[in-house]
Amino acid sequence: MRILAAFAATIIGIAVTTAASAREVVPFQASVSPGTIVIRTAERRLYYVRGDGTALRYRVAVGKPGKQWFGEAQIDGKYVRPAWSPPAEVKRDNPRLPDVIPGGAPNNPMGARALTLNLDEYAIHGTNRPSSIGTYASYGCIRMLNEDIVHLYDQVGVGTRVVVVP
């Protein structure tokens, strides 16, 4: 019955959410191709554009003021429970961080999945701090709930276009 209700809600355009995720199906008209990821920093939302005039919308954490970036990138890697090496800027601000935090470790900020981008050291990834979702929290990466990054990871491939706008 629950699946039928979710299916019916999707068909008539009502947002679908679950307690374990922050994703929903929303109307979305944009000048980007289906399969594109659009991140609206001011909204702290990521949209995965579908071909039917809708998008999957996810709540995310974005870069802190002064750490944000805007423009286009492509996904250049997909990783399950990735290890994390703090970038030089993060290490400078937090010198006690280890050089590498193993994948799956409770203090690993990458979470369950990571989609790396073909510029700088940015990624769309899960988080070990779910309370940061919906805030300005990172050094430029896009954080998602682990349940949501797992879902998005299954939808996209290497080469997926990512557009980040204010």
Side-chain angles (χ1 to χ4, degrees):
M1 188 62 161
R2 195 175 208 186
I3 294 170
L4 183 58
F7 177 75
T10 301
I11 296 298
I12 60 174
I14 297 172
V16 176
T17 61
T18 69
S21 75
R23 76 179 163 267
E24 56 190 343
V25 176
V26 297
F28 193 86
Q29 300 301 321
S31 58
V32 297
S33 302
T36 301
I37 293 172
V38 176
I39 299 163
R40 293 181 177 165
T41 302
E43 289 180 23
R44 291 166 315 283
R45 300 286 191 270
L46 179 151
Y47 296 84
Y48 178 63
V49 180
R50 300 171 1 150
D52 61 356
T54 66
L56 290 171
R57 179 172 67 184
Y58 303 85
R59 291 179 55 238
V60 297
V62 297
K64 300 173 189 178
K67 309 287 185 196
Q68 299 168 359
W69 63 277
F70 305 101
E72 292 193 27
Q74 289 184 332
I75 293 172
D76 70 355
K78 293 176 65 173
Y79 303 91
V80 175
R81 294 176 46 166
W84 181 66
S85 296
E89 182 181 13
V90 175
K91 186 78 168 174
R92 186 176 56 250
D93 290 350
N94 303 284
R96 292 186 177 157
L97 284 171
D99 291 336
V100 176
I101 298 176
N107 62 334
N108 182 316
M110 299 299 279
R113 304 282 186 278
L115 303 169
T116 56
L117 303 178
N118 67 333
L119 53 89
D120 294 320
E121 296 176 319
Y122 299 122
I124 301 168
H125 61 81
T127 184
N128 62 354
R129 293 186 37 222
S131 63
S132 71
I133 301 303
T135 69
Y136 298 94
S138 76
Y139 278 74
C141 285
I142 306 302
R143 292 183 191 170
M144 301 178 74
L145 292 173
N146 283 321
E147 296 84 358
D148 287 339
I149 189 61
V150 168
H151 186 263
L152 182 63
Y153 181 97
D154 291 341
Q155 308 299 310
V156 300
V158 170
T160 295
R161 182 177 175 213
V162 177
V163 179
V164 181
V165 297

